[in-house]
């Protein structure tokens, strides 16, 4: 999957989603910098919940707090 330059402006733009590290990198970028259309285009709810325990650390506290307040199921996923 390739991200547009308004998201991936500082480096890697193509991500192999079969590689967990690259998937996490793409999700981190979209979670931190994506607009509504980007979020719906590039994120999958099941993958987000599955990888949230690692992603919540990578995105930092402000992004983590925002996402966990809006989607309480992520808090549950992180506790599992």
């Amino acid at each position: 999957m390739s991200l547009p330059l308004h998201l991936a402006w500082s480096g890697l733009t193509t991500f192999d989603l079969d590689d967990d590290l690259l998937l996490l990198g793409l999700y981190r970028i979209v979670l931190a910098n994506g607009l509504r259309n980007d979020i719906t285009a590039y994120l999958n709810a099941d993958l987000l919940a599955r990888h949230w325990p690692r992603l919540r650390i990578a995105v930092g506290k402000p992004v983590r707090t925002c996402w966990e307040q809006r989607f309480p199921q992520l808090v549950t996923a992180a506790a599992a």
Side-chain angles (χ1 to χ4, degrees):
M1 177 178 288
S2 294
L3 289 178
L5 289 178
H6 75 272
L7 288 174
W9 47 269
S10 67
L12 188 62
T13 59
T14 302
F15 299 81
D16 176 359
L17 301 185
D18 291 327
D19 180 320
D20 279 353
L21 288 179
L22 293 176
L23 173 77
L24 292 172
L26 179 138
Y27 272 52
R28 183 185 53 78
I29 291 168
V30 175
L31 288 167
N33 303 313
L35 302 174
R36 174 179 233 142
N37 290 341
D38 299 319
I39 291 165
T40 59
Y42 299 108
L43 300 185
N44 173 283
D46 292 333
L47 288 175
L48 178 62
R50 183 179 329 147
H51 292 286
W52 187 248
R54 289 177 64 192
L55 279 167
R56 68 187 308 272
I57 296 164
V59 296
K61 189 173 182 177
V63 174
R64 176 177 60 241
T65 300
C66 177
W67 277 86
E68 288 181 346
Q69 285 177 347
R70 176 64 178 89
F71 301 100
Q73 62 270 34
L74 293 176
V75 176
T76 304

